[in-house]
Amino acid sequence: MSDKIVDFYTKREFLTAGQCNAEGELPLSAFVGRLIEVATAHANAADFGYARLIQHGCSWVLSRVSAEITRLPGINEWFELTTWVEDIGRLMTTRCFRMTDDEGSVFAEVRTAWCAINIESRRPADLRVLQPDISDYVNDRLRCPLAPAPKPRKVVDADRVTDYRFCYSDIDFNRHVNSCRYVALLLDSWDMDFFDRNRVQAFDIVFHHEAREGERARVIVRTEGNVAHTEIAGSEAPYCMCRLTFASR
Amino acid sequence: MSDKIVDFYTKREFLTAGQCNAEGELPLSAFVGRLIEVATAHANAADFGYARLIQHGCSWVLSRVSAEITRLPGINEWFELTTWVEDIGRLMTTRCFRMTDDEGSVFAEVRTAWCAINIESRRPADLRVLQPDISDYVNDRLRCPLAPAPKPRKVVDADRVTDYRFCYSDIDFNRHVNSCRYVALLLDSWDMDFFDRNRVQAFDIVFHHEAREGERARVIVRTEGNVAHTEIAGSEAPYCMCRLTFASR
């Protein structure tokens, strides 16, 4: 192994009022956005980022995010986000995150799954042929405490369905709907009064299919106690499925 | 004047891919967001920010943004945003911004108007009684080249109207719809194909009335050549009116 191995990456960040939601906290959609930012920064620093993958005709795609959240940063609060590669397989790599406050108390633990897709065929690439060898970057010292959980599944017996049509501002530089936008759209099945009384304690989202501008979607929710099974369904395939666990504030 | 006067403020920023729109640029809504962030940072540094105003029972409210844009920052580009107070009146202060690239070439020139409202009565406060005296911070050295323009007005003879209902993710820490959200909603009257061929060369937006969650709005557009007169209308009062000027890419 080279002495240039960077097997974790930490970014200290500040949350301004203008970035906060109605409860004065980092919105869950922006939480996912920060994960993507820090993962990108780490991959670039370790030279297996976009610039390197495109030489293989590939690009990273976020496939799943599982998170447990004690609390989220508030207005004018500093926080740290640390990420590392936990494992690498043939088609999928798992990357973990830990969000802490300035005293090191843990806000959130996160496990994500990523694949590299061939940008022409849109098929997953074999990660073992990538250079540099990502398995050199697997970090054994940092441990994610999240237990493996079943993947969120298609919602049956919905108790709420909302229609939506994706528009220009939902689209990002990849020319399809931004992952963070799905999260905001799912939460919009509830109102401010609900989130004043409840917070998201855990969520698990699987991204299936990329939505494009103008496509029509149905946001489907089935609630069982403090768990909501949700799905954003397209006319032909699901875009994402998500299990949300709420806790009283 | 004290030697602590900070009569301008500059922030250097980096634009990541994840923050970009379909054209790989800073979205116009995020452009407005960055203005608010830098204005807030300057006001805080000069001690006439939120913390000081709340001692007078007041809070800053953005009333108008007029901008001319040569181009916007792109993926992985550094840029600088400088702000200064241009003028202060009894009820309104004007604050200007200049966005430049790393070589000092100007991306955009912006003039904004702000009032301080009493958070109880929601009425504008007299800026002349505020301490510290903001007029000490007026910057005569930096000049905004934008010529005064008529305020955007109510749209008559619309050629397009879209219905919208404000939802949870549109609401910010002030408990009403975020200013940036109006800008995104206005642009959603066009599609990606339009913005692939055209860019916003100038815009002028006046914020009238604060929208709340669950309120229904109509996005009204009238196009005359390369100018679009737009309005987000509520059931009782307009939320904002905006003139957009487009240029071919």
Side-chain angles (χ1 to χ4, degrees):
Chain A
M1 278 169 59
S2 126
D3 57 2
K4 289 176 69 184
I5 295 288
V6 183
D7 73 352
F8 72 97
Y9 187 95
T10 297
K11 193 175 177 198
R12 185 165 180 259
E13 295 192 81
F14 183 75
L15 189 67
T16 62
Q19 296 166 342
C20 288
N21 62 14
E23 289 75 32
E25 297 169 346
L26 181 68
L28 207 63
S29 54
F31 174 84
V32 172
R34 302 278 179 134
L35 302 180
I36 296 171
E37 293 282 307
V38 174
T40 303
H42 181 210
N44 287 339
D47 196 26
F48 51 82
Y50 178 80
R52 172 64 74 154
L53 254 68
I54 202 69
Q55 295 175 1
H56 297 276
C58 294
S59 180
W60 287 114
V61 171
L62 179 58
S63 170
R64 183 178 180 184
V65 181
S66 315
E68 286 186 10
I69 301 168
T70 311
R71 73 174 185 94
L72 285 165
I75 293 178
N76 291 344
E77 190 165 0
W78 284 98
F79 62 98
E80 277 194 1
L81 193 51
T82 295
T83 184
W84 65 95
V85 176
E86 182 188 54
D87 193 20
I88 175 162
R90 191 170 68 87
L91 295 176
M92 202 72 87
T93 176
T94 52
R95 168 183 285 284
C96 298
F97 299 83
R98 181 167 295 149
M99 187 181 274
T100 57
D101 68 14
D102 257 4
E103 276 74 50
S105 295
V106 175
F107 281 142
E109 300 273 6
V110 187
R111 180 178 285 118
T112 59
W114 301 71
C115 57
I117 60 161
N118 183 292
I119 57 168
E120 295 292 332
S121 69
R122 311 304 284 178
R123 300 286 305 161
D126 189 335
L127 296 175
R128 297 170 304 180
V129 303
L130 296 181
Q131 290 301 327
D133 186 344
I134 303 175
S135 59
D136 287 348
Y137 291 82
V138 171
N139 185 319
D140 296 321
R141 293 167 291 115
L142 294 167
R143 299 276 179 186
C144 176
L146 297 193
K151 273 193 183 180
R153 281 180 304 181
K154 226 173 157 45
V155 177
V156 287
D157 296 330
D159 43 44
R160 213 175 332 168
V161 178
T162 316
D163 290 319
Y164 186 76
R165 183 175 172 275
F166 291 108
C167 50
Y168 174 67
S169 65
D170 296 326
I171 307 297
D172 74 5
F173 70 105
N174 283 315
R175 314 284 284 180
H176 49 67
V177 175
N178 192 289
S179 308
C180 310
R181 186 66 189 103
Y182 294 125
V183 176
L185 191 55
L186 288 170
L187 294 194
D188 282 340
S189 293
W190 291 267
D191 65 8
M192 190 165 70
D193 182 55
F194 176 83
F195 287 109
D196 285 349
R197 291 180 289 110
N198 299 280
R199 63 179 192 84
V200 175
Q201 183 180 46
F203 71 93
D204 199 335
I205 186 166
V206 176
F207 301 101
H208 284 274
H209 184 77
E210 297 163 347
R212 292 167 192 281
E213 189 198 36
E215 289 181 351
R216 290 185 181 278
R218 286 176 310 137
V219 184
I220 304 170
V221 176
R222 176 184 169 79
T223 309
E224 289 176 359
N226 67 332
V227 176
H229 304 276
T230 68
E231 176 184 346
I232 304 179
S235 57
E236 288 168 14
Y239 297 122
C240 65
M241 297 172 190
C242 179
R243 185 172 54 245
L244 291 155
T245 308
F246 298 109
S248 300
R249 286 184 185 272
Chain B
M1 278 169 56
S2 127
D3 58 1
K4 289 176 69 183
I5 294 288
V6 183
D7 73 351
F8 72 97
Y9 187 94
T10 297
K11 193 174 178 200
R12 185 165 180 258
E13 296 193 79
F14 182 76
L15 190 68
T16 63
Q19 297 166 340
C20 288
N21 61 14
E23 289 75 33
E25 296 168 347
L26 181 68
L28 207 61
S29 54
F31 174 84
V32 172
R34 302 280 180 135
L35 301 180
I36 296 170
E37 293 282 306
V38 175
T40 303
H42 181 209
N44 288 340
D47 196 26
F48 51 80
Y50 177 80
R52 172 64 75 155
L53 254 67
I54 202 70
Q55 296 176 1
H56 297 276
C58 295
S59 180
W60 286 116
V61 170
L62 179 59
S63 170
R64 183 178 180 183
V65 181
S66 315
E68 286 187 12
I69 301 168
T70 313
R71 75 174 184 91
L72 286 164
I75 294 178
N76 291 344
E77 188 164 1
W78 285 98
F79 61 97
E80 277 194 1
L81 192 52
T82 295
T83 184
W84 65 95
V85 176
E86 184 187 52
D87 193 19
I88 176 161
R90 191 170 67 85
L91 295 176
M92 201 73 88
T93 175
T94 53
R95 168 183 285 284
C96 299
F97 299 84
R98 181 167 295 148
M99 188 181 273
T100 57
D101 68 14
D102 257 4
E103 274 74 50
S105 294
V106 175
F107 281 142
E109 302 273 6
V110 186
R111 180 178 286 118
T112 60
W114 302 71
C115 56
I117 61 160
N118 183 292
I119 58 167
E120 295 293 330
S121 68
R122 311 305 283 179
R123 300 286 305 164
D126 188 334
L127 296 175
R128 296 170 305 180
V129 304
L130 296 181
Q131 290 299 330
D133 187 344
I134 303 176
S135 59
D136 286 349
Y137 292 82
V138 170
N139 186 318
D140 295 322
R141 293 166 291 115
L142 294 167
R143 298 277 181 185
C144 176
L146 297 193
K151 273 194 182 179
R153 281 178 305 178
K154 232 179 149 44
V155 176
V156 287
D157 295 330
D159 43 44
R160 210 173 336 166
V161 178
T162 315
D163 290 320
Y164 185 76
R165 183 175 172 275
F166 291 108
C167 50
Y168 174 68
S169 65
D170 296 327
I171 307 296
D172 73 7
F173 70 105
N174 283 316
R175 316 282 285 178
H176 49 67
V177 175
N178 191 289
S179 308
C180 310
R181 186 65 190 105
Y182 294 125
V183 176
L185 191 55
L186 288 170
L187 293 194
D188 282 340
S189 294
W190 290 267
D191 64 8
M192 189 165 73
D193 180 57
F194 177 83
F195 288 109
D196 285 348
R197 290 180 289 109
N198 299 279
R199 64 180 190 85
V200 174
Q201 183 179 46
F203 72 93
D204 198 335
I205 186 167
V206 176
F207 301 101
H208 285 275
H209 184 77
E210 296 165 346
R212 291 168 192 280
E213 190 197 35
E215 290 182 350
R216 290 185 182 278
R218 286 176 309 137
V219 184
I220 304 170
V221 176
R222 175 184 170 81
T223 308
E224 289 175 359
N226 66 332
V227 177
H229 304 277
T230 68
E231 176 184 348
I232 303 179
S235 58
E236 289 169 14
Y239 297 121
C240 65
M241 299 173 189
C242 179
R243 184 172 54 244
L244 291 156
T245 308
F246 298 108
S248 300
R249 284 184 187 272

